[in-house]
Amino acid sequence: MKPKYLKLFFLIISINLFSQEENKEEIYNKYLRNGAYKYSYYRPEYQTYIDSALVLLPKNAFLWQQKAMPYFKRKKYELGMQYIDKAVLYDDKYDKYLSYRAFIKCIFQKNYNDALTDFDVLISHYNKGLIMDHYFYFYKALCLIQLNRYEEAPKYMNLSMELNIQNGGTPHYLELFYMGIIFYEKRQYTEAIQYFDKSLEQYPNFSDAQFYKAETYYFMHQKKEALEYFIKAKENLDKGYSINEDNAFYEDYPYQIKKWMIKNYFDILDYHQ
């Protein structure tokens, strides 16, 4: 192709891409900002506007994710997953919606084997990648914990903590908490308490860490210490001090406690408030 025709060819391509981008913004304005976003996620009007936009942009990953999101928040995981699969299919950045899907499978759907598959792919391409403020390694460790693969989980939780340190921070209180859970499940109670204490140093009112520390003391036959921490766990849970991740509003995280769990131990220990 002659140079002048080559320049013309690239000019046409550039104009076409600009036109597509401009058209996308017009569709976003009409069907999202002035349409779907004026309604609750749960209103049928929201989905109607999203569907109208998808007629015009059927391969737009963002629109498919926006369609999926309300179903996840309503615990309609099978419905939502078919739409997030479309977002992954059309994702031109590769990891953006794959990481979102992996997160949903881990925290919302609790489909840990499938989540592991997605996180393994992500880690192979982006070994320092994050989703919802945590490294992919953190979620891989969570999946392994939930599948009772306690021997494998510490490696990935440690990798997550190391990345936090490399980036000038400290291990997250949840990383320390779940390391405590791993040792708790392995009946290595001294190590479990050490990690629960480290988690509580960062988040002193963390009722979940206090509960599992209490339970660990109970299993060690130290009932006085156990009761002390069960009482602290109840007081702080009543005040709302629990896992404070944004999505914990919609879904319980692994090992997140409930009031009945503490009451059971109060009954066992014959504690009367």
Side-chain angles (χ1 to χ4, degrees):
M1 188 179 288
K2 293 182 180 180
K4 67 177 182 179
Y5 294 118
L6 194 60
K7 289 180 182 179
L8 180 60
F9 172 76
F10 283 117
L11 179 61
I12 291 169
I13 292 294
S14 298
I15 291 170
N16 188 46
L17 289 173
F18 178 78
S19 177
Q20 288 178 15
E21 195 64 26
E22 189 176 39
N23 187 48
K24 184 178 77 172
E25 281 304 306
E26 288 177 2
I27 291 168
Y28 282 4
N29 277 327
K30 181 176 180 180
Y31 294 103
L32 297 184
R33 300 181 188 101
N34 295 311
Y37 294 167
K38 291 184 177 293
Y39 295 90
S40 162
Y41 292 141
Y42 311 123
R43 294 290 303 161
E45 292 89 347
Y46 176 92
Q47 290 291 351
T48 299
Y49 276 108
I50 297 290
D51 289 341
S52 298
L54 281 166
V55 169
L56 300 170
L57 296 172
K59 294 185 178 181
N60 184 284
F62 174 68
L63 290 175
W64 284 112
Q65 185 269 340
Q66 292 291 285
K67 182 170 180 62
M69 179 178 53
Y71 292 113
F72 295 138
K73 295 183 187 300
R74 279 277 171 91
K75 303 183 186 295
K76 297 183 179 183
Y77 305 120
E78 289 187 44
L79 278 175
M81 198 54 66
Q82 63 182 321
Y83 302 124
I84 204 63
D85 286 346
K86 291 276 192 181
V88 172
L89 177 65
Y90 297 127
D91 184 7
D92 58 358
K93 294 182 179 177
Y94 185 75
D95 69 312
K96 183 175 182 180
Y97 296 108
L98 181 59
S99 61
Y100 179 78
R101 184 176 74 180
F103 170 79
I104 291 293
K105 287 178 178 178
C106 177
I107 300 300
F108 281 71
Q109 194 179 26
K110 307 185 191 318
N111 185 347
Y112 300 110
N113 277 309
D114 277 7
L116 272 178
T117 299
D118 282 353
F119 280 119
D120 281 340
V121 172
L122 288 161
I123 288 168
S124 71
H125 289 83
Y126 310 98
N127 64 358
K128 295 183 180 180
L130 298 107
I131 178 72
M132 303 296 176
D133 300 324
H134 294 287
Y135 292 102
F136 297 152
Y137 291 123
F138 170 81
Y139 295 105
K140 179 166 183 175
L142 276 193
C143 291
L144 292 169
I145 291 170
Q146 292 301 87
L147 293 168
N148 289 358
R149 291 163 63 177
Y150 305 122
E151 297 302 324
E152 301 169 68
K155 172 184 175 181
Y156 298 100
M157 197 61 78
N158 276 319
L159 284 168
S160 183
M161 290 192 286
E162 286 169 12
L163 283 173
N164 273 317
I165 293 168
Q166 287 173 19
N167 288 319
T170 58
H172 193 278
Y173 80 87
L174 275 183
E175 294 170 332
L176 296 164
F177 170 68
Y178 285 117
M179 281 295 288
I181 290 295
I182 292 166
F183 285 107
Y184 156 93
E185 290 289 8
K186 292 170 70 176
R187 300 183 183 182
Q188 295 175 231
Y189 297 133
T190 301
E191 292 87 347
I193 286 176
Q194 287 173 354
Y195 275 103
F196 293 141
D197 282 345
K198 289 178 182 178
S199 181
L200 286 164
E201 284 175 14
Q202 290 191 28
Y203 184 0
N205 298 322
F206 187 19
S207 62
D208 305 75
Q210 290 169 334
F211 173 84
Y212 288 103
K213 182 175 179 179
E215 207 172 40
T216 302
Y217 275 131
Y218 179 80
F219 295 150
M220 294 170 72
H221 307 292
Q222 296 178 225
K223 294 184 178 180
K224 179 181 177 182
E225 291 83 356
L227 181 58
E228 176 188 348
Y229 278 92
F230 281 130
I231 293 169
K232 288 181 179 180
K234 181 184 184 305
E235 289 173 349
N236 285 312
L237 185 61
D238 287 345
K239 294 175 184 176
Y241 295 112
S242 183
I243 292 174
N244 58 15
E245 298 290 288
D246 290 344
N247 285 283
F249 178 80
Y250 301 102
E251 281 291 338
D252 288 340
Y253 273 59
Y255 290 83
Q256 191 165 354
I257 65 170
K258 300 293 182 185
K259 291 180 181 180
W260 63 264
M261 297 168 68
I262 302 172
K263 183 180 182 304
N264 282 353
Y265 275 99
F266 281 170
D267 292 342
I268 292 168
L269 295 166
D270 195 29
Y271 172 69
H272 302 286
Q273 300 175 56

